[in-house]
Amino acid sequence: MAVAENITMPDLEAAERAEARRRKIVSTAVPLGTAAALILLWQLGVKAFGVPTYVAPAPSDVAVAFVEKFDILLMNFWPTLMESVAGFAVGNIVAILIAVAFVHSRHVTMAFFPIAVFINTIPILAIAPILVLIFGPGITAKIVIAALICFFPTLVNMVRGLQAISPQALELSRILSASKSEVFWKMRLPASLPFLFSALKISATTSVIGAIVGEWVGADLGLGALIIDATFNFNSPLLYATVFMSSGLSVLMFALVTLAEKLIIRW
């Protein structure tokens, strides 16, 4: 009992902070250690079995290619970044606006939701050439492709989020004579934010996929075009370096959306 009484509130807070720091270090160290172990295993496996570089380069070869071809990688990085960000913005803004229309009009939902589902069922690799034919080989087609691949997850999640209000809360708003705009801004929109950011995290990565697919179909610049070029030239180290840079772009966009979620949703 005497020992327990000697433990003060500052001591408890200091212990909790220390435990939080320890958990943060562990949560960071474990995935980094796992990644390092896998890279080391990859390096040793390639060297031990004598795998040709054009089949599977060692991580050291990929690192050399990344350094030596960094100017080429960076030159192709910027178009993909612009296409991904623009497609992400366009696809999600359109999805949010249509979701709002769906929630406020049952007739609009009945008319257009089946069309949205039908468009989503078309494989992006199948529709990409059609969009390139319509919009040409420029940046517009890549933005549209990235927007399409972002559109449906956000639409579905946003509709679900806007409808995530209890019937009791809606009944109370009617009793208090709240207008539709008041219900939307004060009840529906806050309730939809967790659903929206869940969809945005998905879109943040798929927008990069959409931009790269568009570049596969027809482009002179971009990470997708560089992937095709490196593949046909059997330049596996550059191919792997380009893939890793594409993955880094997806991680960057995901991290930015996660940061925005933490800043906006504080409850």
Side-chain angles (χ1 to χ4, degrees), residues 31-216:
L32 289 178
T34 304
L38 290 174
I39 291 173
L40 179 61
L41 184 63
W42 175 9
Q43 178 79 23
L44 295 175
V46 168
K47 297 301 182 183
F49 293 100
V51 181
T53 302
Y54 65 86
V55 175
S60 56
D61 297 326
V62 177
V64 170
F66 192 89
V67 173
E68 292 181 348
K69 303 293 185 180
F70 184 74
D71 55 340
I72 296 175
L73 288 166
L74 193 62
M75 181 177 65
N76 288 274
F77 173 83
W78 295 117
T80 305
L81 173 63
M82 290 187 292
E83 294 157 5
S84 302
V85 172
F88 175 83
V90 172
N92 285 296
I93 289 172
V94 173
I96 291 170
L97 294 176
I98 293 178
V100 173
F102 281 179
V103 169
H104 287 91
S105 175
R106 185 176 301 175
H107 297 294
V108 173
T109 305
M110 292 172 59
F112 292 102
F113 190 74
I115 297 174
V117 173
F118 172 74
I119 293 174
N120 185 64
T121 60
I122 303 174
I124 195 66
L125 284 172
I127 200 172
I130 299 174
L131 295 174
V132 171
L133 287 174
I134 294 173
F135 296 102
I139 192 174
T140 304
K142 284 75 173 179
I143 293 174
V144 173
I145 294 169
L148 274 177
I149 206 170
C150 293
F151 171 78
F152 194 75
T154 301
L155 175 66
V156 173
N157 278 272
M158 191 63 183
V159 169
R160 184 182 176 189
L162 290 171
Q163 293 175 339
I165 306 177
S166 65
Q168 294 82 2
L170 285 175
E171 184 63 28
L172 179 62
S173 68
R174 294 190 187 97
I175 294 173
L176 297 175
S177 301
S179 64
K180 285 187 176 182
S181 62
E182 289 174 333
V183 171
F184 176 80
W185 291 108
K186 295 181 179 180
M187 297 178 67
R188 291 192 184 276
L189 186 60
S192 70
L193 289 179
F195 296 87
L196 174 60
F197 276 101
S198 295
L200 292 181
K201 289 177 183 178
I202 299 172
S203 299
T205 55
T206 56
S207 64
V208 179
I209 297 173
I212 289 176
V213 168
E215 292 166 352
W216 283 353

Side-chain angles (χ1 to χ4, degrees), residues 9-23:
M9 185 61 68
D11 292 334
L12 290 174
E13 292 177 353
E16 290 176 355
R17 287 195 296 268
E19 178 65 17
R21 284 195 298 269
R22 187 191 69 80
R23 290 179 180 176

